[in-house]
Amino acid sequence: MAVDSNLPSLLAAPASDKDSKALQFIEEMTKTVGSVQQRVLREILSRNAETEYLERFGLNGATDQETFKSRIPVVTYEDLQPDIKRIANGDKSPIFSAQPISEFLTSSGTSAGESKLMPAIHEDLDRRQLLYSLLMPVMNLYVPGLDKGKGLYFLFVKPSTKTPGGLLARPVLTSYYNSDHFKTRPYDPFNVYTSPNEAILCMDSFQSMYAQMLCGLIMRDEVLRVGAVFASGLLRAIHFLQTNWKELAHDIGNGTLNPKITDASIRKCMKKILKPNAELAEFVTNECSVENWERIIVRIWPNTKYLEVIITGAMAQYIPTLEYYSGGLPMASTMYASSECYFGLNLNPMCKPSEVAYTIMPNMAYFEFLPLESPASGLVDLSDVEVGKEYELIVTTYAGLYRYRVGDILRVTGFHNAAPQFRFIKRKNVLLSIETDKTDEAELQNAIEKASLLLKEFNTSVVEYTSYADTKQIPGHYVIYWELLVKDSANSPTDDVLNQCCLQMEESLNSVYRRSRVADKSIGPLEIRVVQNGTFEELMDYAISRGASINQYKVPRCVSFTPIMELLDSRVISKHFSPCLPHWTPELRR
């Protein structure tokens, strides 16, 4: 077992008694992984013994690992969807959990374009709060003095919906921010935000961002850390400042609030915060009016010690841009979580982005792992994974997901005590992602097929395609390269038709993508770049020249390698963008 020797002792010089208890808890959990996991599985199976799902597979009240693994199948969301729809439509019988399903947590979309609905029970909030309570005690070991200032965190809620049966369906963070765990959290000098709850909980993304940025500017000298959930969210905040600094400086100088901010609760709380400050207004104007925005974060918030953002997986593409804006500040990815379950935390949060690894806390759920190299060998337990190997994560949760394939691919990098540490490698089958959206190959293929129907009347078809997520600008957007076969050059598709193809593709993508476009405005219009005929043959020739087998070559459906991008872009003959927003409403489909 490889033990991570680069970590400071979690029990060395905690910042407070509260921190000491939290760090001791981490040590206890990570030293007894096997017994904790057995206890967790027993608790889940015993309390849910009489649920329809477990009875369906003949578990008959057994709570041991051997019986559980022999009788309960490994499943995907599609396997559970019929039962989930029953709950969504109002069936209150104990299908998955003996405890009532309190809400659904939405995740990236299904093949039908709808959000996945993950069942949740009320006590899940306690488990999430427990993991949150461990983050600052660990951070305080690396960065002293965080109780002397505030965190500028750009946090947002997203639209909630109701299922036909009346249950709320919303993203996991929207659920948490709307809970009493967050809204009535006790004062903690190590965890004070510049953003008031009223701004965070405002449903209008512009008003929420404006108020949070305004508070961050007013309290600039108190800010010790800057962050958002995802790296893309922090870059969106910087772009917002670039676009709106004149209005923000005006408000600071005059002590008045922009009339675009109509939310009554925001206006009320900002009255207590906003006072005329001509000197600060002049400072903001001087810093933001210059063309060079390099190091803008430390120029405006000079006491910032680190950025707190998720920069693993698809978010890694934003690291160079964040380094530019922050002057190379450390980037802390502190925790690993999903809609299905909160998993664990980073015990070395000041590490390099390429070295981020998460220690899974064995009390959060029952974890199993499918080896990628040898899936036929079967699943292994949390305590039995091997350093250097990659696994697909499988969870069994208190809310009633049993042996559920999360879809995350993880690599074991080492151990802290007996607890393995994992590097997040990727989401299984995901091709494109800008923020919380996840588009896989089947979904992209379906969207292209639907869009290409618009070309039929022009006797034109899509010969080949590939794609990439363009994040050079904020917001990022999907770029699709098309090679077309135009059989009648006198009747080739017009620019307007190709623009409509962009829109049709967007209409065919999942609801998380469309919500990001319409409500969150975190993704820009989809772009189609038409390339010269023969471009994809050139792409194959290039791949073969680098050692690919001509017999096994497949066109990559997503590209990121610079020479390939340069080849494609050098062959572009026209560019087209979605002319308007796709359809999206917060109503779930029945």
Side-chain angles (χ1 to χ4, degrees), residues 249 252-253 277-288:
I252 292 168
N277 189 334
E279 183 181 350
L280 178 57
E282 183 181 3
F283 170 82
V284 171
T285 299
N286 290 339
E287 289 295 340
C288 295

Side-chain angles (χ1 to χ4, degrees), residues 204-372:
D204 185 293
S205 59
F206 174 86
Q207 295 187 60
S208 176
M209 178 76 85
Y210 193 95
Q212 293 190 61
M213 184 64 76
L214 187 57
C215 290
L217 293 171
I218 291 169
M219 304 176 207
R220 62 178 289 267
D221 291 326
E222 299 176 72
V223 171
L224 299 182
R225 55 197 193 278
V226 175
V229 176
F230 294 105
S232 56
L234 184 52
L235 288 176
R236 194 149 48 98
I238 294 169
H239 180 70
F240 185 91
L241 181 59
Q242 287 179 310
T243 306
N244 296 281
W245 65 262
K246 289 181 181 177
E247 291 88 344
L248 290 160
H250 176 273
D251 289 0
I252 292 168
N254 291 279
T256 57
L257 187 58
N258 191 325
K260 292 179 183 176
I261 309 304
T262 58
D263 184 279
S265 62
I266 290 183
R267 295 198 70 89
K268 182 179 179 181
C269 78
M270 289 305 298
K271 276 187 179 180
K272 305 171 186 175
I273 300 170
L274 187 58
K275 308 294 179 189
N277 189 334
E279 183 181 350
L280 178 57
E282 183 181 3
F283 170 82
V284 171
T285 299
N286 290 339
E287 289 295 340
C288 295
S289 61
V290 298
E291 186 174 336
N292 182 8
W293 272 53
E294 186 174 3
R295 301 180 69 252
I296 192 66
I297 292 175
V298 290
R299 281 159 45 191
I300 292 182
W301 296 284
N303 299 316
T304 305
K305 299 185 177 187
Y306 64 91
L307 308 181
E308 186 170 336
V309 285
I310 293 173
I311 40 84
T312 50
M315 293 297 113
Q317 62 192 318
Y318 299 108
I319 292 171
T321 311
L322 279 178
E323 288 177 335
Y324 173 81
Y325 285 127
S326 72
L329 282 175
M331 299 178 205
S333 277
T334 58
M335 66 182 291
Y336 173 36
S338 75
S339 301
E340 295 89 346
C341 177
Y342 277 29
F343 303 118
L345 70 165
N346 183 358
L347 296 180
N348 187 13
M350 289 293 102
C351 66
K352 296 176 183 177
S354 61
E355 297 174 355
V356 170
Y358 302 103
T359 302
I360 288 187
M361 292 296 289
N363 58 304
M364 299 303 293
Y366 180 69
F367 301 102
E368 298 174 271
F369 298 85
L370 180 64
L372 290 195

